[in-house]
Amino acid sequence: MAYSIKSWFTVTKLTWLFLALCIICISASIYTYQRIQQIHAFNQAVSAGKTPETDRQSFEAKFATALYLAKRERYKEATLLFTQLLPKANPQQKAAVQYNVGNMFFLRGLAINGTNMTLRNEAEYFIRQAKTAYQASLKLDNTQWDARHNMDRLLTMLPGTPTPGVGESDTPGLIMGNIPVGLP
């Protein structure tokens, strides 16, 4: 009972093999077409600010919802959603989350501060939170030019960190407070 290769390549067997292969290809094409339509519907729903029909639990859907809430100035809910996304995200997604959190804090600080370039306490808190978020974003993905630009704007608004002992007068203050000033 010797098997030959020719017994595998009969017309009937090849016909069934190509028919099965054709059915698999058609099934894969139909699935791909349906998936493309779902993605298109998802993108349109997200663009319109509606809940998508598919992929509701995906990172992208939650990110889009948080971004929508931030644009509607519902910052607390958006911040909560963004922070819930961090454990599931890859480094680039984490950088995007941190960037958007920084934007929310920055906008809140600017809204409180107005056009005044000197910061009040509450506005300074939000600006410092934005700085922290932008720094985290840049640590995760240093190629984000928008985060760098916003960080530069923040740094021009924040007051400089005072050096202990250096003030407006000539008295040394904290550093050399016990040393007498002037000649005896």
Side-chain angles (χ1 to χ4, degrees), residues 162-184:
T163 306
V166 178
E168 295 176 7
S169 66
D170 290 336
T171 58
L174 296 174
I175 294 176
M176 302 176 71
N178 293 333
I179 300 173
V181 178
L183 294 172

Side-chain angles (χ1 to χ4, degrees), residues 81-102:
L81 269 176
F82 276 132
T83 54
Q84 288 175 352
L85 288 174
L86 285 174
K88 304 175 196 174
N90 64 34
Q92 286 182 329
Q93 291 171 333
K94 286 180 182 180
V97 166
Q98 291 292 347
Y99 170 71
N100 284 296
V101 169

Side-chain angles (χ1 to χ4, degrees), residues 2-171:
Y3 287 105
S4 67
I5 294 180
K6 290 181 183 180
S7 67
W8 287 96
F9 294 111
T10 64
V11 173
T12 308
K13 289 181 181 177
L14 285 176
T15 303
W16 284 109
L17 176 70
F18 287 133
L19 184 62
L21 196 61
C22 185
I23 290 172
I24 290 171
C25 289
I26 289 173
S27 300
S29 297
I30 290 171
Y31 172 77
T32 303
Y33 177 76
Q34 286 177 342
R35 188 65 186 143
I36 288 171
Q37 293 302 319
Q38 287 175 347
I39 291 169
H40 180 68
F42 176 88
N43 288 338
Q44 287 204 339
V46 166
S47 297
K50 298 177 183 175
T51 304
E53 296 292 323
T54 60
D55 302 320
R56 289 183 183 180
Q57 297 301 318
S58 68
F59 178 88
E60 291 80 9
K62 290 181 180 181
F63 186 88
T65 303
L67 199 58
Y68 176 80
L69 290 171
K71 287 181 181 179
R72 298 292 182 257
E73 296 181 2
R74 295 173 57 190
Y75 298 123
K76 289 181 183 181
E77 295 96 342
T79 304
L80 183 64
L81 269 176
F82 276 132
T83 54
Q84 288 175 352
L85 288 174
L86 285 174
K88 304 175 196 174
N90 64 34
Q92 286 182 329
Q93 291 171 333
K94 286 180 182 180
V97 166
Q98 291 292 347
Y99 170 71
N100 284 296
V101 169
N103 284 345
M104 287 187 305
F105 280 122
F106 193 22
L107 289 172
R108 288 171 79 183
L110 288 176
I112 291 171
N113 199 44
T115 58
N116 188 2
M117 285 307 287
T118 59
L119 295 175
R120 292 184 286 176
N121 289 340
E122 189 177 0
E124 184 177 348
Y125 168 77
F126 286 127
I127 299 294
R128 290 199 186 277
Q129 291 298 317
K131 178 184 172 188
T132 303
Y134 288 139
Q135 285 174 338
S137 175
L138 289 171
K139 282 181 186 176
L140 291 164
D141 184 9
N142 197 22
T143 62
Q144 286 195 0
W145 288 99
D146 291 337
R148 289 181 185 192
H149 172 75
N150 290 355
M151 182 74 129
D152 287 341
R153 286 188 62 202
L154 283 176
L155 294 176
T156 60
M157 293 178 70
L158 286 172
T161 306
T163 306
V166 178
E168 295 176 7
S169 66
D170 290 336
T171 58

